[in-house]
C-alpha cells in the first residue's frame, strides 16, 4: 500500500496557501468594498440632483422652498436635523431638508451615505450658485480621488 509522504502533503498545502494569498491580494476586497460604496454615492447624488431638477421644471423654474432659502454659494449638508455634523467638503453645519422631494413623489426616500449617514445627517451636501446651478456631492468618498459631486 503506497500513500503520500508527509513532505509531499506539506508541499501541496504550501502551494495551496500561496495561491490563496495571491488570489486574495489580487482581488483586494477592501478596495472592492470602497468602490461599491463610492458607486452608491455616485448613484445617490445623481438621483437627488435629478429629483431637484425635475421638481424645478415642474414648478416653472422655481426651486423647492428649502433650496430657494439657501444662501447662494454656501454649501449646506442635506438632512432633517437642525444642525448637521460637518464633513470635509463642507465647512458649515447648516442643513437643508429635501424631504419634500419624497412627499411630492420625486424620490422614494432621501438617500443616506452608506458609511453611517442618517436622515438627520445624510453626509451629502448641496450648493446653489447665484446663477441657479445646483451641485450635490458626497462628504466622504473613500476611493475616488477627485471627489463625488454632480452639477447641473
Amino acid at each position: 500500500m503506497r500513500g503520500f509522504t508527509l513532505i509531499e502533503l506539506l508541499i501541496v498545502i504550501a502551494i495551496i496557501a500561496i495561491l490563496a494569498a495571491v488570489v486574495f491580494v489580487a482581488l483586494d476586497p477592501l478596495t472592492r468594498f470602497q468602490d461599491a460604496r463610492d458607486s452608491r454615492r455616485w448613484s445617490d447624488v445623481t438621483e437627488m440632483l435629478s429629483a431637484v431638477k425635475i421638481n424645478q421644471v415642474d414648478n416653472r423654474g422655481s426651486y423647492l422652498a428649502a433650496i430657494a432659502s439657501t444662501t447662494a454659494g454656501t454649501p449646506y449638508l442635506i438632512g432633517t436635523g437642525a444642525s448637521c455634523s460637518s464633513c470635509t467638503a463642507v465647512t458649515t453645519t447648516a442643513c437643508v431638508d429635501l424631504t419634500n422631494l419624497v412627499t411630492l413623489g420625486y424620490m422614494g426616500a432621501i438617500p443616506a451615505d452608506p458609511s453611517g449617514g442618517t436622515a438627520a445627517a445624510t453626509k451629502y451636501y448641496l450648493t446653489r450658485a447665484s446663477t441657479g446651478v445646483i451641485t450635490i456631492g458626497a462628504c466622504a468618498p473613500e476611493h475616488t480621488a477627485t471627489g463625488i459631486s454632480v452639477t447641473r
Side-chain angles (χ1 to χ4, degrees):
M1 182 169 191
R2 177 143 162 74
F4 295 105
T5 67
L6 181 60
I7 300 293
E8 290 171 331
L9 288 175
L10 288 175
I11 289 172
V12 169
I13 291 171
I15 291 171
I16 291 172
I18 290 169
L19 288 174
V22 167
V23 168
F24 187 77
V25 169
L27 294 178
D28 192 7
L30 176 63
T31 302
R32 297 295 92 48
F33 284 126
Q34 290 173 337
D35 288 343
R37 287 188 294 270
D38 279 351
S39 292
R40 164 93 184 272
R41 289 179 183 103
W42 277 110
S43 176
D44 289 349
V45 298
T46 302
E47 177 188 10
M48 282 189 282
L49 188 56
S50 292
V52 166
K53 288 302 186 177
I54 292 170
N55 175 267
Q56 181 188 20
V57 168
D58 288 351
N59 289 294
R60 297 184 180 144
S62 296
Y63 281 117
L64 199 63
I67 296 171
S69 66
T70 61
T71 303
T74 302
Y76 289 81
L77 294 160
I78 298 170
T80 58
S83 175
C84 297
S85 58
S86 63
C87 71
T88 56
V90 180
T91 56
T92 183
T93 58
C95 295
V96 61
D97 186 357
L98 299 181
T99 54
N100 276 345
L101 292 174
V102 175
T103 307
L104 297 171
Y106 293 97
M107 298 179 72
I110 300 297
D113 187 87
S115 293
T118 63
T122 62
K123 293 189 178 181
Y124 294 116
Y125 66 89
L126 177 143
T127 305
R128 179 180 57 87
S130 59
T131 58
V133 174
I134 298 286
T135 299
I136 295 181
C139 288
E142 295 177 65
H143 203 243
T144 304
T146 59
I148 295 175
S149 66
V150 180
T151 302
R152 278 191 231 147

